Amino acid sequence: MINLSYLLQFIEEDAPFGDVTSEAVIPEGTKAKAVIIAKGEGIIAGVEEAKALFEHFGVKVDVKKRDGEGVRKGDTILELEGNARAILLVERTALNVMGRMSGIATEVRKLVEKVKAVNPKVRVAGTRKTLLKPIDKRAILIGGGEPHRFSLSDAILIKDNHLALVPLEEAIKRARAFSAYKVVEVEVESLEDALKAARAGADVVMLDNMSPAEIAEVLTVLKREGLRERVKIEVSGGITPENITEYAELDIDVISLGYLTHSVKNFDVSLEIIGKI
């Protein structure tokens, strides 16, 4: 479901007192046709968000490319018809949202395909390294990835700063007592702590900032101890598009990358007015 009220905040920020240029230059009541086109090749996302924004301001929208579809340079994504001032008011916000979401979806799709070619069972996930969760998390889903936690309320993830205050086994015990419904995940950086977490009843053990060789050793010991089947194994930290297949080759379940939302390049889309109505 599209969170229109969230998207409208961007319009409010961009035009707190209206679009003074359009109001000054374009006669009131002028109607126009416009298109949004792709300026490159990738996976398009943010179409539904853009559609919701334009329609909120009375602009008719004809969707030519849907979220998750591949596009090439020059492809028309949306056709627009309506009040010219409204089209231009929404233009930059819609393009910003589509550009960011498409950039994320495109990169996620590339990495998912790369990982699946090596190990079909491994999932690619994002992280909470973003302030634009409603659009970034949906973009990850559109690209074929897992959004991971949407918020701190979704699941229990015991990290190093928690463990600086509470011992690992006690933290897991307290987490288990807190809720019967929340997944309990523990972030560890050593074989010793991975074993402790698995033995203490963690649902997911995140191996953080460990090399493929170190992870392979953890997996070997977990299997030898009869613990591997009890837990899901997530790996994170230091993983890039260049080395991701080295991790995917291992017997793991999830690869998570903050890179998907904090470093991905925007996808270029453009709005062009093609005439008056």
Side-chain angles (χ1 to χ4, degrees):
M1 180 179 291
I2 304 304
N3 187 338
L4 180 59
S5 61
Y6 174 78
L7 297 171
L8 288 173
Q9 293 179 68
F10 297 137
I11 299 287
E12 176 64 27
E13 180 185 76
D14 198 34
F17 304 105
D19 174 4
V20 295
T21 306
S22 295
E23 291 169 16
V25 172
I26 298 173
E28 187 174 357
T30 300
K31 292 188 176 181
K33 288 184 177 182
V35 292
I36 292 180
I37 62 172
K39 302 298 288 294
E41 185 174 340
I43 302 301
I44 202 68
V47 174
E48 288 301 314
E49 282 78 2
K51 180 173 182 287
L53 280 171
F54 281 113
E55 289 183 340
H56 177 78
F57 289 94
V59 176
K60 182 181 176 183
V61 181
D62 187 5
V63 175
K64 297 300 181 182
K65 293 286 185 179
R66 301 196 172 276
D67 286 323
E69 288 189 41
V71 295
R72 294 181 180 276
K73 184 177 181 179
D75 282 353
T76 297
I77 302 162
L78 296 175
E79 291 183 351
L80 310 170
E81 234 180 74
N83 184 280
R85 289 184 180 181
I87 291 173
L88 295 174
L89 172 69
V90 177
E91 174 186 6
R92 179 42 54 195
T93 296
L95 295 179
N96 284 348
V97 169
M98 290 178 68
R100 180 170 177 83
M101 290 183 68
S102 299
I104 292 170
T106 297
E107 190 64 19
V108 170
R109 184 71 59 85
K110 287 179 186 175
L111 295 185
V112 167
E113 290 176 351
K114 185 180 284 191
V115 165
K116 295 296 184 186
V118 174
N119 189 342
K121 80 165 192 171
V122 176
R123 296 170 182 252
V124 174
T127 71
R128 284 178 48 253
K129 292 181 180 179
T130 172
L131 288 174
L132 302 171
K133 292 177 207 165
I135 61 175
D136 285 1
K137 295 292 189 179
R138 207 173 91 79
I140 290 171
L141 284 168
I142 290 169
E146 296 276 341
H148 213 286
R149 293 187 301 169
F150 187 88
S151 72
L152 290 171
S153 304
D154 292 343
I156 296 171
L157 175 48
I158 302 168
K159 297 173 70 69
D160 56 352
N161 282 333
H162 300 105
L163 298 177
L165 301 168
V166 182
L168 190 151
E169 292 95 339
E170 182 185 344
I172 294 174
K173 182 179 179 181
R174 292 174 68 87
R176 284 284 175 214
F178 180 80
S179 174
Y181 297 99
K182 297 291 185 185
V183 169
V184 177
E185 180 170 3
V186 184
E187 176 186 276
V188 301
E189 296 184 357
S190 69
L191 170 60
E192 179 185 1
D193 284 345
L195 286 170
K196 283 182 182 179
R199 288 169 180 156
D203 297 302
V204 183
V205 176
M206 178 195 289
L207 305 178
D208 189 43
N209 286 306
M210 297 176 74
S211 69
E214 290 171 325
I215 293 168
E217 183 184 5
V218 170
L219 293 168
T220 297
V221 176
L222 287 175
K223 288 175 184 175
R224 187 173 67 220
E225 298 287 325
L227 297 169
R228 174 62 182 96
E229 297 306 316
R230 296 187 192 177
V231 296
K232 288 187 180 299
I233 298 296
E234 177 179 343
V235 301
S236 190
I239 301 170
T240 67
E242 290 72 34
N243 67 16
I244 195 169
T245 54
E246 296 177 43
Y247 292 87
E249 289 169 348
L250 302 169
D251 178 28
I252 59 174
D253 300 291
V254 181
I255 298 173
S256 58
L257 306 91
Y259 154 82
L260 294 176
T261 50
H262 69 56
S263 297
V264 156
K265 182 181 177 182
N266 270 25
F267 183 82
D268 196 6
V269 285
S270 176
L271 184 148
E272 297 178 4
I273 298 288
I274 56 176
K276 291 183 181 180
I277 298 175

